[in-house]
Amino acid sequence: MKYCVVDLETMGTGGNTAIVAIGACMVTPDGRAGVSGQFYRAVTLESSLAAGLKVTAGTINWWLAQSDAARNALIAEDAVPLTSALNDFAAFYRLQGAEALVGNDPSFDNAILADAYTATGLRQPWKYHANKCLRTFRGLVADTDCINNEPVFVGTEHNALCDAVYEADVLHTILVYLKGKGLTV
């Protein structure tokens, strides 16, 4: 199965939250994708707000406590309108042949992304039954050596692409372990 691991950077934590970056990385049991299987778009906060998405004060305060590199990504000069980012992500998802959307917590990443598609009147590229959860995958191997062999994080924490690549590496480790146990993944 081809999994699209997605990570968002947002300005809130609930439903209908303003998105400021979308990162994604493809992974299968055979390996994590290279650059051609990765996606990143910085999103203008103004366009998320114009779509009716929300900002919370607590999240703004949280961002203020993050690294300069993470905060600077929020005001990227190459940021695009939300509709452009969503259309680009949908094209990426389809062209990569993704069969499932994996969020670290699908009630966050997957749900907020779905809310953005609804808010902009665009159609999300994944089927409702294709929502997957990295935490559930981790739970499948919680009492094994697999979880002790997670990859090392590389890059800037709270950068949507760096986080997605790391989460794809974690998922790959789990998929290899499960495949070695004879499970179809």
Side-chain angles (χ1 to χ4, degrees):
M1 177 171 276
K2 287 184 162 185
Y3 298 94
C4 179
V5 178
V6 67
D7 187 84
L8 303 178
E9 300 309 331
T10 67
M11 295 305 287
T13 57
N16 294 310
T17 293
I19 295 171
V20 290
I22 303 170
C25 182
M26 296 299 300
V27 65
T28 71
D30 297 325
R32 177 188 39 92
V35 174
S36 66
Q38 297 175 11
F39 176 88
Y40 180 79
R41 291 293 182 281
V43 178
T44 63
L45 178 57
E46 295 83 3
S47 66
S48 282
L49 294 174
L53 302 176
K54 310 272 186 268
V55 171
T56 61
T59 304
I60 292 170
N61 289 333
W62 181 86
W63 275 111
L64 292 173
Q66 301 311 306
S67 71
D68 289 343
R71 284 194 319 273
N72 287 338
L74 300 178
I75 53 172
E77 290 182 16
D78 61 348
V80 300
L82 179 62
T83 53
S84 296
L86 295 173
N87 280 323
D88 291 349
F89 177 74
F92 169 83
Y93 189 89
R94 288 187 196 101
L95 288 172
Q96 293 293 323
E99 299 169 85
L101 185 71
V102 180
N104 191 42
D105 180 345
S107 65
F108 185 85
D109 299 290
N110 301 27
I112 290 171
L113 193 56
D115 286 346
Y117 277 99
T118 299
T120 57
L122 299 173
R123 186 170 177 220
Q124 71 184 39
W126 68 95
K127 305 279 189 221
Y128 73 93
H129 56 80
N131 276 315
K132 305 295 180 198
C133 176
L134 183 59
R135 289 181 179 155
T136 300
F137 280 105
R138 281 182 162 146
L140 293 172
V141 299
D143 296 326
T144 69
D145 289 338
C146 177
I147 204 68
N148 297 324
N149 294 319
E150 282 193 8
V152 175
F153 186 92
V154 176
T156 301
E157 289 186 9
H158 308 301
N159 171 287
L161 180 58
C162 294
D163 290 350
V165 167
Y166 171 73
E167 291 166 10
D169 286 341
V170 170
L171 181 56
H172 176 252
T173 300
I174 295 167
L175 294 174
V176 168
Y177 178 84
L178 294 173
K179 187 176 178 181
K181 295 295 183 184
L183 297 170
T184 304
V185 288

